[in-house]
Amino acid sequence: MSASVFNHVKHLQFEARPDGPDAAFARRLQDALGGRWGALTVANQYLLQGWTCRLPGKYRDLLLDVGTEELAHVEMLTTMITRLLQDAPLTTSETEDNPAECAEIYSAHLVQAGAGPLLADSNGLPWSGSYVTASGSLLADFHLNVGAEAQSRLRLARLFHMTADTGVKQMLRYLLARDTMHQNVWLAAIEELRADGIEQMPVPEAFPDAAPEADYAHTYLRFSAGDDAPAGRWADGPAPDGHGDLSYRSSAPPQGEPPALPPADPRLYCS
Amino acid sequence: MSASVFNHVKHLQFEARPDGPDAAFARRLQDALGGRWGALTVANQYLLQGWTCRLPGKYRDLLLDVGTEELAHVEMLTTMITRLLQDAPLTTSETEDNPAECAEIYSAHLVQAGAGPLLADSNGLPWSGSYVTASGSLLADFHLNVGAEAQSRLRLARLFHMTADTGVKQMLRYLLARDTMHQNVWLAAIEELRADGIEQMPVPEAFPDAAPEADYAHTYLRFSAGDDAPAGRWADGPAPDGHGDLSYRSSAPPQGEPPALPPADPRLYCS
Amino acid sequence: MSASVFNHVKHLQFEARPDGPDAAFARRLQDALGGRWGALTVANQYLLQGWTCRLPGKYRDLLLDVGTEELAHVEMLTTMITRLLQDAPLTTSETEDNPAECAEIYSAHLVQAGAGPLLADSNGLPWSGSYVTASGSLLADFHLNVGAEAQSRLRLARLFHMTADTGVKQMLRYLLARDTMHQNVWLAAIEELRADGIEQMPVPEAFPDAAPEADYAHTYLRFSAGDDAPAGRWADGPAPDGHGDLSYRSSAPPQGEPPALPPADPRLYCS
Amino acid sequence: MSASVFNHVKHLQFEARPDGPDAAFARRLQDALGGRWGALTVANQYLLQGWTCRLPGKYRDLLLDVGTEELAHVEMLTTMITRLLQDAPLTTSETEDNPAECAEIYSAHLVQAGAGPLLADSNGLPWSGSYVTASGSLLADFHLNVGAEAQSRLRLARLFHMTADTGVKQMLRYLLARDTMHQNVWLAAIEELRADGIEQMPVPEAFPDAAPEADYAHTYLRFSAGDDAPAGRWADGPAPDGHGDLSYRSSAPPQGEPPALPPADPRLYCS
Amino acid sequence: MSASVFNHVKHLQFEARPDGPDAAFARRLQDALGGRWGALTVANQYLLQGWTCRLPGKYRDLLLDVGTEELAHVEMLTTMITRLLQDAPLTTSETEDNPAECAEIYSAHLVQAGAGPLLADSNGLPWSGSYVTASGSLLADFHLNVGAEAQSRLRLARLFHMTADTGVKQMLRYLLARDTMHQNVWLAAIEELRADGIEQMPVPEAFPDAAPEADYAHTYLRFSAGDDAPAGRWADGPAPDGHGDLSYRSSAPPQGEPPALPPADPRLYCS
Amino acid sequence: MSASVFNHVKHLQFEARPDGPDAAFARRLQDALGGRWGALTVANQYLLQGWTCRLPGKYRDLLLDVGTEELAHVEMLTTMITRLLQDAPLTTSETEDNPAECAEIYSAHLVQAGAGPLLADSNGLPWSGSYVTASGSLLADFHLNVGAEAQSRLRLARLFHMTADTGVKQMLRYLLARDTMHQNVWLAAIEELRADGIEQMPVPEAFPDAAPEADYAHTYLRFSAGDDAPAGRWADGPAPDGHGDLSYRSSAPPQGEPPALPPADPRLYCS
């Protein structure tokens, strides 16, 4: 097949075959597909960051490589969920030997999707475009991507311990390995951006913070009654942004007035 | 006033007084209040991370200090938006000298809120609890918090350039300074977690990746047609996670079979 | 036509004919149709409260009368919005004489709905089933209904001042009159419930509050630094619920311990 | 600690310690935290009403006192949910003795939140800023606040009967007592507003209803076929708004024409 | 009762009486009430299409007849759900003989709705106004309505197999029959539109497609690696739109350039 | 590049280059990207239908071909929107010559996305996974897909008339041509399903409707007062499903009783 913009190959990136059906786990796996930090989020986030990337070359390639790979993870997860739903009990009476298994079933898997996945999380909350951030700032987005992969890995690792199915475990292990690589990738990309002189911390670096308020950029203010916060790295020593030293203040006296609001337009009937 | 669990002081943390009304900018400022990465998000996120933090002491104090401070930022933003909406034109005919100013008005500010803010972004999308992540893993959450502050700073810096009102600019500058500090704080907290031996990258560090699939944790796979990706730090050299060397593969041959799905239960009437 | 369950008559309950088109106002009117406290909300809320009302007779009749009427208000609003959108400019160049009028246009009215209404508010937020409460408690729901009508009337009165179109103003005046009646109706229904001995304040009255904690049911606790709160009716005198006297405490010392949380299951990888 | 805008004390307002874990009940308790009428809603609603209150003094103090207290309730509920999730079974096989307990588990509590709460209701629906109303009219909002507390108390009282855990019951009893006080507070505040001559029913009182349509403000119209509605207080006698007498009409003949809509702009391709 | 705009009769359109309570099935039935393709969707969709229909006469009558009928289906479903929830167990201990039945309970049915329905699907996702499409094009909307009825019938038929309750089955059978009729109705209406010369396929027929790009209106492009697609009717023979012959191309070479994006405004701090 | 599961080529499927910037139109184009019936919806819908298709061979190939193509349309639209946002005015004062152009700007395009697209519609409503239906029934889904393409074409044709930019018009014309082909494809696929004997109307064909209620599958019931409905094809003649003749009834007498609901469990405090 000659090249079109996106090409799809029928083979899966990695096998997605459970030892047997498990409708209750199919529900839980929805978090890895359509949850806040699931595969749909990172696929869309990296592709959108790539399509809108203004720096041609390696950064754009990087984003489109990883984003396109995540589409293949979406496919693996939809395949796995469909297989886990095979022969799912339709009624309570069909699972008298294991009522709990029936009870955790996501009836929408059966009623809405005909024993297939939904683009939703394990609670049936539909995946939302608001989960995706492509801000135009590579450094801001790469930091967010590190966080996204960490959250994703955490969820996959927890799911790994919730099943004894070796086929499911093998797929989760593969997805965990790829997310480890993606964590590595975004951390390396942060290094690269700095090495290339494109952006430093804080994001955006270029904003002129040299006003009187700039002092507040390195001062820890206490708002909660514990006494342990000053023991942390965040209260003392050079700031991670390289622009000063951190300091600690045990209170944060207000600098603004108590606000007094004038009456509203009478046509709005405010009190 | 003696201490109760939360105490509120009527003074603002920092002044929130515009030079004059500007209903169009009031709308834009909603992104800083109720947008995906606005003050409501970080206030709720840090407080929830703090309340569920299982490590007593400095980390818990840190989260609750910063989270409580963000409540004061929410208050500053709601006050500023209310003041910017003072004397907002109710009809087009009231702004004949500047129709565009009227046109960008958020009529919901007037109709729903009586010339006050909404818990929503600049498009009227209500703030959502799904914006908040408190995963139970401090390292995963601190990385996400760095990303959140970077996204927040970026939006505040953009808004700074969209107004000439010195009162608004001063408040934005203060908020930017505090978010700079918060970026510093979360970066320092990541260092501290590592120094304390609590967690390393990748998150979670403890997951046993030593299966055959672990190889995939350090291999860059190409899915998009550019040639520039291998030039990046992510394709070569020691992995940021400290567990191996990164390598590059110019293609990613599928390892799974084309999936064949068996027929569904006939009572589901699938084709 | 003999009776079916719902019957629809083609005539409108009240005329919904503007003097002329006004696409910008059509947008604002969406708040009255599909906003949080618009006609869709009360129609669905009263019908659902009626359909699930366990007391046969007058209360059920009341809910179904008012709920069915609100369907007719939905129809009036959709008709008015469609007429206001007649001849709406499709492009900026078509409104060179009044660019602001064009600018406030809701392009979705044209692109999605073909110059018709959406089931959404003025920001394009779709109406949500979460706006509807039918709790099973008539007193709780009647109090909420009073609040709903007050919010609805407030919005209609504000919209009334945002247009000079006499046809629109006449319809809004009619809707305001009906919502006044509905406020009267729900206030009267609260009286009736009490007269019938069905429910008193607080809701639910029957819950046994006679534990040591019951003292807190009549004590005002101060959490914010102002000094004016004790001057109000809420801090002194007999409680509106008729079960005691209100008192004021100038502070609210915590009664719980600082929470210490045990470690989580290690398979969840919490810090 | 000297005063900052918000201060947080580590002690809880009231103890939040269950007798033992109960993951199924932890799920149900989410309704009290992040449900439509849960603690997050009232905390945000009262604070926003207070921050935008244009009347300085007692009403503003009142709103900020109660709103700030509700933040402490949010904290109690998040703490309780976290404790109820302690040692939650990760798999069905871990609860063979009580499969139902496992079955009602909210797997997102484990997978997404690491055995902690979400800002969502018991179905996993995220809390939404659309739940919060701050209209600028104190009377409209106080009536809504009465309704909110009634709905909240109702839910807490139902949850009270769904558990035998004495620690949970004690906390619920305390929350119920505080919500009783809050019902009292808002009812008293309605009295006070009237006594102060600020606002009367209907809301807004000031709107000029003296048009021909005003007759409809006191007329009950029948739309549903029952015969019992005229027996109610709403169909006869002086109107609660004090402006006339209520009357009943057994039918509601339409006053508008059947709407005829002109063709749309041909570029919209409407039929 | 003389005619008002909408009239409601207290009798149900068809009996909605289960043999006995079944709280687990009440949850599943929510999909038929407030799911994406449930009764609320079609009731609102047909009514909105009817109210905005610009062709007076038979098409408008048709839409309002079917839409009004669907309101009666909403009522039947809310009644059935309320009855299925009668005597629902409040705690696990009340269902020791059948823990699974308890486990599938929707606690929100009890806590939020007092043993009644919600305007939501079986996962607690609130019904959304975004489910409703009224585009202004009768042909586009009638095709969508065919699809809506097919999806609705499918869900009802699946639910039919999930219960042994004869009362529930009888109501589902009735609803299935009516949806069969509605499928017939919309298919007949498509024929009628064509016979009346109002609209043909594709929608909109009138758009001038005679540009060079028009060739793409009849060409099948291959993007996925299977070899079976050319065997289908879609790859050969006269096009269903009657405007040409279908052809097949085994690849889809890109016709656009790789996009190069210029730098953004520096005040946006994009990389 | 050798084959991986998804491959991405940097060239666009078709050129997406406007004559010049137009931020107001960039906003409107969001409906084609992330609206209810935009490219994100059909891309995800067809891919999910394909991945879960249980019939191997031509139907699966078809779904994956068209779904993969739609990903390329998503890319074209994101590119076009980014280019239209080039040099967008950041403040009102930057567009004094054309204030309306500024006024229709979507400030979130600038503040949130750094002059790039969002995964949302023109009102800022995020794209939702609930827009996607993959029911497991090919006939039900193919009918829905016809409807989806008709709705999509309608929106694109309307947008075509809202701009004079020849580059934008050319891209829209191409997308319209492809959607015409996709309408043809799904109509042909419906023919093919019937020719293959896989499924007929109504969906699902196999459901046993032969009960007494089956009569209702061919009877038109009147619920709204117009007299024109019997003139339509839907009230007379052979039913499109081929199973009988259509008939008309001028009224629909209720067949159910007025529902009487028993009292609820007293622990739910229902009235």
Side-chain angles (χ1 to χ4, degrees):
Chain A
M1 185 169 64
S2 74
S4 46
V5 186
F6 275 98
N7 295 295
H8 176 258
V9 174
K10 291 291 187 302
H11 292 70
L12 293 174
Q13 184 182 357
F14 192 83
E15 201 50 77
R17 188 182 300 278
D19 300 343
D22 182 349
F25 195 77
R27 175 182 203 154
R28 296 194 175 194
L29 207 49
Q30 287 282 152
D31 276 339
L33 170 61
R36 172 71 191 84
W37 300 108
L40 275 169
T41 297
V42 286
N44 282 283
Q45 180 155 306
Y46 303 158
L47 287 172
L48 190 59
Q49 290 172 2
W51 287 329
T52 59
C53 179
R54 288 175 163 88
L55 286 179
K58 62 187 173 187
Y59 295 109
R60 196 168 215 268
D61 283 11
L62 167 64
L63 287 160
L64 293 172
D65 274 334
V66 186
T68 306
E69 175 176 0
E70 292 287 356
L71 290 176
H73 296 191
V74 171
E75 183 175 8
M76 289 162 65
L77 285 160
T78 60
T79 304
M80 181 60 91
I81 289 171
T82 306
R83 283 169 165 165
L84 287 166
L85 288 167
Q86 192 66 28
D87 302 322
L90 261 61
T91 65
T92 312
S93 61
E94 292 173 47
T95 50
E96 275 173 2
D97 51 338
N98 187 357
E101 188 190 356
C102 172
E104 212 184 339
I105 281 182
Y106 200 24
S107 63
H109 268 159
L110 305 176
V111 176
Q112 297 179 18
L118 295 171
L119 300 189
D121 75 0
S122 66
N123 293 316
L125 184 72
W127 186 83
S128 167
S130 72
Y131 296 167
V132 166
T133 295
S135 72
S137 161
L138 291 178
L139 188 56
D141 288 357
F142 288 167
H143 270 291
L144 189 60
N145 296 353
V146 173
E149 295 290 346
Q151 297 290 342
S152 170
R153 256 185 64 92
L154 200 58
R155 281 151 183 72
L156 294 170
R158 289 166 177 170
L159 286 164
F160 181 89
H161 293 297
M162 293 179 177
T163 180
D165 184 301
T166 58
V168 174
K169 280 176 121 63
Q170 193 177 17
M171 186 192 77
L172 288 173
R173 205 184 274 278
Y174 179 79
L175 292 175
L176 271 156
R178 294 308 297 154
D179 280 1
T180 305
M181 178 57 189
H182 295 168
Q183 276 199 349
N184 279 316
V185 155
W186 305 125
L187 287 167
I190 290 169
E191 284 181 32
E192 189 93 352
L193 275 180
R194 290 177 176 168
D196 287 349
I198 292 174
E199 186 72 275
Q200 310 288 328
M201 294 298 285
V203 181
E205 176 76 11
F207 184 82
D209 263 341
E213 292 78 27
D215 179 41
Y216 290 99
H218 298 94
T219 308
Y220 188 100
L221 298 175
R222 184 205 205 198
F223 287 84
S224 182
D227 292 322
D228 293 320
R233 172 67 186 82
W234 43 78
D236 192 33
D241 65 17
H243 295 322
D245 286 312
L246 301 171
S247 64
Y248 180 84
R249 285 195 210 160
S250 64
S251 73
Q255 299 177 274
E257 295 295 309
L261 301 173
D265 187 317
R267 294 169 297 173
L268 296 176
Y269 301 98
C270 291
S271 307
Chain B
M1 185 168 66
S2 74
S4 47
V5 186
F6 274 99
N7 294 297
H8 176 260
V9 173
K10 292 288 186 305
H11 292 70
L12 294 174
Q13 184 182 358
F14 191 83
E15 200 50 75
R17 189 183 300 277
D19 300 342
D22 183 349
F25 195 77
R27 176 181 200 153
R28 297 193 174 195
L29 207 49
Q30 287 281 154
D31 277 339
L33 171 61
R36 173 69 190 87
W37 299 107
L40 275 170
T41 298
V42 287
N44 281 281
Q45 181 154 305
Y46 304 158
L47 286 173
L48 190 59
Q49 290 173 1
W51 288 328
T52 59
C53 179
R54 288 175 163 87
L55 285 179
K58 62 187 173 187
Y59 294 109
R60 195 167 215 268
D61 282 10
L62 167 64
L63 288 160
L64 292 173
D65 274 332
V66 186
T68 305
E69 175 175 2
E70 293 287 357
L71 289 177
H73 296 191
V74 170
E75 182 176 9
M76 288 162 65
L77 286 159
T78 61
T79 303
M80 180 62 91
I81 290 171
T82 306
R83 284 170 165 166
L84 287 166
L85 287 167
Q86 191 66 29
D87 302 321
L90 261 62
T91 65
T92 312
S93 61
E94 292 172 46
T95 50
E96 276 173 1
D97 52 337
N98 188 358
E101 188 190 356
C102 171
E104 211 184 337
I105 281 181
Y106 200 23
S107 62
H109 268 159
L110 305 176
V111 176
Q112 297 179 18
L118 295 170
L119 300 190
D121 75 0
S122 66
N123 294 316
L125 183 72
W127 186 82
S128 166
S130 73
Y131 297 168
V132 167
T133 295
S135 73
S137 161
L138 290 178
L139 188 56
D141 288 357
F142 288 165
H143 270 291
L144 189 60
N145 295 353
V146 173
E149 296 289 346
Q151 297 289 342
S152 171
R153 255 185 66 90
L154 200 56
R155 281 150 184 75
L156 294 171
R158 288 166 177 170
L159 285 165
F160 181 89
H161 293 297
M162 292 179 177
T163 180
D165 184 301
T166 57
V168 174
K169 279 176 123 63
Q170 193 177 18
M171 185 192 76
L172 289 173
R173 205 184 276 279
Y174 179 80
L175 293 175
L176 272 155
R178 294 308 297 154
D179 280 1
T180 305
M181 178 57 189
H182 296 169
Q183 276 198 351
N184 278 317
V185 154
W186 306 125
L187 288 167
I190 290 170
E191 285 181 34
E192 187 94 350
L193 275 180
R194 290 176 176 167
D196 287 349
I198 293 174
E199 186 72 274
Q200 309 289 327
M201 293 296 287
V203 182
E205 177 76 9
F207 184 81
D209 263 340
E213 292 77 27
D215 180 40
Y216 290 99
H218 298 95
T219 308
Y220 188 100
L221 298 176
R222 185 205 203 197
F223 288 84
S224 182
D227 291 323
D228 294 320
R233 171 69 185 79
W234 44 77
D236 193 33
D241 65 17
H243 295 322
D245 286 312
L246 300 170
S247 65
Y248 180 85
R249 284 194 209 161
S250 64
S251 74
Q255 296 178 276
E257 295 295 308
L261 302 173
D265 187 316
R267 294 170 297 173
L268 296 176
Y269 301 99
C270 292
S271 307
Chain C
M1 186 168 64
S2 73
S4 47
V5 185
F6 274 99
N7 295 296
H8 177 259
V9 173
K10 291 290 186 304
H11 292 70
L12 293 175
Q13 183 181 357
F14 190 83
E15 201 51 76
R17 188 182 301 277
D19 300 342
D22 183 349
F25 195 76
R27 176 181 201 153
R28 295 193 175 194
L29 207 48
Q30 287 282 152
D31 278 338
L33 170 62
R36 172 70 190 85
W37 300 108
L40 276 168
T41 297
V42 286
N44 281 281
Q45 181 154 306
Y46 304 157
L47 287 172
L48 190 59
Q49 290 172 2
W51 287 329
T52 59
C53 179
R54 288 174 163 88
L55 286 178
K58 63 187 172 185
Y59 294 109
R60 195 167 216 267
D61 281 11
L62 167 65
L63 289 160
L64 293 172
D65 273 332
V66 187
T68 306
E69 175 176 359
E70 292 287 356
L71 289 176
H73 296 191
V74 170
E75 183 175 8
M76 288 162 65
L77 286 159
T78 61
T79 303
M80 180 62 91
I81 290 172
T82 306
R83 284 170 165 165
L84 287 166
L85 288 166
Q86 191 67 28
D87 302 321
L90 262 62
T91 65
T92 311
S93 62
E94 292 174 47
T95 50
E96 275 172 2
D97 51 338
N98 187 358
E101 188 190 356
C102 172
E104 212 185 336
I105 281 181
Y106 199 25
S107 63
H109 268 159
L110 306 176
V111 176
Q112 297 179 18
L118 295 170
L119 300 189
D121 74 0
S122 67
N123 294 316
L125 183 73
W127 186 82
S128 168
S130 73
Y131 296 167
V132 167
T133 294
S135 72
S137 161
L138 290 178
L139 187 57
D141 288 358
F142 288 166
H143 270 291
L144 190 59
N145 295 355
V146 173
E149 295 290 346
Q151 297 290 341
S152 170
R153 255 184 66 90
L154 200 57
R155 282 151 183 71
L156 293 171
R158 288 166 177 169
L159 286 164
F160 181 88
H161 293 297
M162 292 179 177
T163 180
D165 185 301
T166 57
V168 174
K169 279 176 122 63
Q170 193 177 18
M171 186 192 77
L172 289 173
R173 206 183 275 278
Y174 180 81
L175 293 174
L176 272 156
R178 295 308 296 153
D179 280 1
T180 304
M181 178 58 189
H182 296 169
Q183 277 198 353
N184 279 317
V185 154
W186 306 125
L187 287 168
I190 290 169
E191 284 180 34
E192 187 93 352
L193 275 179
R194 290 176 177 168
D196 287 349
I198 293 173
E199 185 73 275
Q200 308 289 328
M201 294 296 287
V203 182
E205 174 78 9
F207 184 81
D209 264 341
E213 291 79 23
D215 179 41
Y216 290 100
H218 298 95
T219 308
Y220 189 100
L221 299 176
R222 184 203 204 199
F223 287 85
S224 183
D227 291 322
D228 294 320
R233 170 72 185 79
W234 43 80
D236 192 33
D241 64 17
H243 294 323
D245 286 312
L246 301 171
S247 65
Y248 180 84
R249 284 196 209 160
S250 64
S251 73
Q255 298 176 273
E257 294 294 309
L261 302 172
D265 188 315
R267 294 170 298 172
L268 296 176
Y269 301 100
C270 291
S271 305
Chain D
M1 186 167 66
S2 75
S4 46
V5 185
F6 275 98
N7 295 295
H8 176 259
V9 173
K10 291 291 188 301
H11 291 70
L12 293 174
Q13 183 182 358
F14 191 82
E15 201 51 77
R17 189 183 300 278
D19 300 342
D22 183 349
F25 195 77
R27 175 182 203 152
R28 297 194 173 193
L29 208 48
Q30 286 282 153
D31 277 337
L33 170 62
R36 172 69 190 87
W37 299 108
L40 276 170
T41 297
V42 285
N44 281 281
Q45 181 154 305
Y46 303 158
L47 287 172
L48 190 58
Q49 290 173 1
W51 288 328
T52 59
C53 179
R54 287 175 164 88
L55 286 179
K58 62 188 172 186
Y59 294 109
R60 194 167 218 266
D61 282 11
L62 167 65
L63 288 160
L64 293 172
D65 274 332
V66 186
T68 305
E69 175 175 1
E70 293 287 355
L71 290 176
H73 297 191
V74 170
E75 182 175 9
M76 288 162 65
L77 286 159
T78 61
T79 304
M80 180 61 91
I81 290 172
T82 307
R83 283 170 165 165
L84 286 166
L85 287 167
Q86 192 65 28
D87 302 321
L90 262 60
T91 65
T92 312
S93 61
E94 292 174 47
T95 50
E96 274 172 2
D97 51 339
N98 186 359
E101 188 191 355
C102 172
E104 211 185 337
I105 281 181
Y106 200 26
S107 63
H109 268 159
L110 305 176
V111 176
Q112 297 178 19
L118 295 170
L119 300 189
D121 75 0
S122 67
N123 294 316
L125 183 72
W127 186 83
S128 168
S130 73
Y131 297 167
V132 167
T133 294
S135 72
S137 161
L138 290 178
L139 187 58
D141 289 357
F142 288 166
H143 270 290
L144 190 59
N145 295 355
V146 173
E149 295 290 346
Q151 297 289 342
S152 171
R153 256 184 65 90
L154 201 57
R155 283 151 183 71
L156 293 171
R158 288 166 177 170
L159 286 164
F160 181 88
H161 293 297
M162 292 178 177
T163 180
D165 184 301
T166 57
V168 173
K169 279 177 124 63
Q170 192 177 18
M171 186 192 76
L172 289 173
R173 205 183 275 278
Y174 180 80
L175 293 175
L176 272 156
R178 294 308 297 153
D179 280 1
T180 304
M181 177 58 189
H182 296 168
Q183 277 198 351
N184 279 317
V185 154
W186 305 125
L187 287 167
I190 290 169
E191 283 180 33
E192 186 94 352
L193 275 180
R194 290 177 176 168
D196 287 348
I198 292 174
E199 186 73 274
Q200 309 289 327
M201 293 299 283
V203 181
E205 174 78 8
F207 184 80
D209 264 341
E213 291 79 25
D215 179 42
Y216 291 100
H218 298 94
T219 309
Y220 189 100
L221 299 175
R222 185 203 203 198
F223 287 85
S224 184
D227 291 323
D228 293 320
R233 170 71 185 80
W234 43 79
D236 192 34
D241 64 18
H243 294 322
D245 286 312
L246 301 171
S247 65
Y248 180 83
R249 285 194 210 160
S250 64
S251 73
Q255 298 177 273
E257 295 294 308
L261 302 172
D265 188 316
R267 295 170 296 174
L268 296 176
Y269 301 100
C270 291
S271 307
Chain E
M1 185 167 65
S2 74
S4 47
V5 186
F6 274 100
N7 295 296
H8 176 259
V9 173
K10 293 289 187 304
H11 291 71
L12 293 175
Q13 184 182 359
F14 191 83
E15 201 51 75
R17 190 182 299 278
D19 301 342
D22 182 349
F25 194 76
R27 175 181 202 153
R28 296 194 174 194
L29 207 49
Q30 287 282 152
D31 277 338
L33 170 62
R36 173 71 190 87
W37 300 107
L40 276 170
T41 296
V42 287
N44 281 282
Q45 180 154 307
Y46 303 159
L47 287 173
L48 190 59
Q49 290 173 1
W51 288 327
T52 60
C53 179
R54 288 175 163 87
L55 286 178
K58 63 186 173 187
Y59 295 109
R60 193 168 217 268
D61 281 11
L62 167 65
L63 287 161
L64 293 173
D65 273 333
V66 187
T68 305
E69 176 176 359
E70 292 287 357
L71 290 176
H73 296 191
V74 170
E75 183 176 8
M76 289 162 65
L77 286 159
T78 60
T79 304
M80 180 62 93
I81 290 171
T82 306
R83 283 169 165 167
L84 286 166
L85 288 167
Q86 192 65 29
D87 301 322
L90 262 62
T91 65
T92 313
S93 60
E94 293 173 46
T95 51
E96 274 174 4
D97 52 339
N98 187 358
E101 188 191 356
C102 172
E104 211 184 335
I105 281 182
Y106 200 24
S107 63
H109 268 159
L110 305 176
V111 176
Q112 296 178 18
L118 295 171
L119 300 189
D121 76 0
S122 67
N123 294 316
L125 184 71
W127 186 82
S128 167
S130 73
Y131 296 167
V132 167
T133 294
S135 72
S137 161
L138 291 178
L139 187 56
D141 289 357
F142 288 166
H143 270 291
L144 190 59
N145 295 353
V146 173
E149 296 290 345
Q151 297 290 342
S152 170
R153 256 185 65 90
L154 201 55
R155 282 150 184 73
L156 294 170
R158 289 167 176 167
L159 286 165
F160 181 89
H161 293 297
M162 292 179 177
T163 179
D165 184 301
T166 57
V168 174
K169 279 177 124 63
Q170 194 178 16
M171 185 192 77
L172 290 173
R173 206 184 276 277
Y174 179 81
L175 293 175
L176 272 156
R178 295 307 297 153
D179 280 1
T180 304
M181 177 58 188
H182 296 169
Q183 277 198 348
N184 278 317
V185 154
W186 305 126
L187 288 167
I190 290 170
E191 284 180 34
E192 187 94 351
L193 275 180
R194 289 176 176 166
D196 286 348
I198 292 174
E199 186 73 273
Q200 308 289 327
M201 293 298 286
V203 182
E205 177 77 9
F207 185 81
D209 265 341
E213 292 80 23
D215 179 41
Y216 290 100
H218 298 94
T219 309
Y220 188 100
L221 299 176
R222 184 206 206 196
F223 287 85
S224 182
D227 290 323
D228 294 320
R233 170 70 185 81
W234 44 79
D236 193 32
D241 64 17
H243 295 321
D245 286 313
L246 300 171
S247 65
Y248 180 84
R249 285 195 210 160
S250 64
S251 72
Q255 297 177 275
E257 296 293 309
L261 301 172
D265 187 316
R267 294 170 298 174
L268 296 176
Y269 301 99
C270 291
S271 308
Chain F
M1 185 168 64
S2 75
S4 45
V5 185
F6 275 98
N7 295 296
H8 176 259
V9 174
K10 292 290 188 302
H11 292 70
L12 293 175
Q13 184 182 356
F14 191 83
E15 201 51 76
R17 189 181 301 277
D19 301 342
D22 183 351
F25 195 76
R27 176 181 200 154
R28 296 194 174 193
L29 208 47
Q30 287 283 153
D31 277 338
L33 171 61
R36 173 68 192 87
W37 299 108
L40 276 169
T41 297
V42 286
N44 281 282
Q45 181 155 306
Y46 304 158
L47 287 172
L48 190 59
Q49 289 173 2
W51 288 329
T52 59
C53 179
R54 287 176 163 87
L55 286 179
K58 61 187 173 187
Y59 294 109
R60 196 169 215 269
D61 282 11
L62 167 65
L63 287 161
L64 293 172
D65 274 332
V66 186
T68 306
E69 175 176 0
E70 292 287 357
L71 290 176
H73 296 190
V74 170
E75 182 175 9
M76 289 162 65
L77 286 160
T78 61
T79 304
M80 180 61 91
I81 289 171
T82 306
R83 284 168 166 167
L84 287 166
L85 288 167
Q86 192 66 28
D87 301 322
L90 262 62
T91 65
T92 313
S93 61
E94 292 173 48
T95 50
E96 277 174 1
D97 51 337
N98 187 357
E101 188 190 355
C102 171
E104 212 184 338
I105 282 181
Y106 200 24
S107 63
H109 268 159
L110 306 176
V111 175
Q112 298 179 17
L118 296 171
L119 300 188
D121 75 0
S122 66
N123 294 316
L125 184 73
W127 187 82
S128 167
S130 72
Y131 296 167
V132 167
T133 296
S135 72
S137 161
L138 290 178
L139 188 57
D141 289 356
F142 288 167
H143 270 290
L144 189 60
N145 295 353
V146 173
E149 295 289 346
Q151 298 290 343
S152 170
R153 254 185 67 90
L154 200 57
R155 282 150 183 71
L156 294 170
R158 288 166 176 170
L159 287 164
F160 181 88
H161 293 297
M162 292 179 177
T163 179
D165 184 302
T166 57
V168 174
K169 279 176 122 63
Q170 195 178 16
M171 185 191 77
L172 289 173
R173 206 183 274 280
Y174 179 81
L175 293 175
L176 272 156
R178 294 307 298 152
D179 280 1
T180 305
M181 178 58 188
H182 296 168
Q183 277 198 350
N184 279 316
V185 154
W186 306 125
L187 287 167
I190 290 169
E191 285 181 32
E192 188 92 352
L193 275 180
R194 289 176 175 166
D196 287 348
I198 292 174
E199 185 73 273
Q200 310 288 327
M201 292 299 285
V203 182
E205 178 76 9
F207 184 81
D209 264 340
E213 291 79 25
D215 179 42
Y216 291 99
H218 297 94
T219 307
Y220 188 99
L221 298 176
R222 184 205 204 197
F223 288 85
S224 182
D227 291 323
D228 293 320
R233 171 71 185 80
W234 42 80
D236 193 32
D241 64 18
H243 294 323
D245 287 312
L246 301 171
S247 64
Y248 180 84
R249 285 195 209 161
S250 63
S251 72
Q255 298 177 275
E257 295 295 309
L261 302 172
D265 188 315
R267 294 169 297 173
L268 296 176
Y269 301 100
C270 292
S271 307

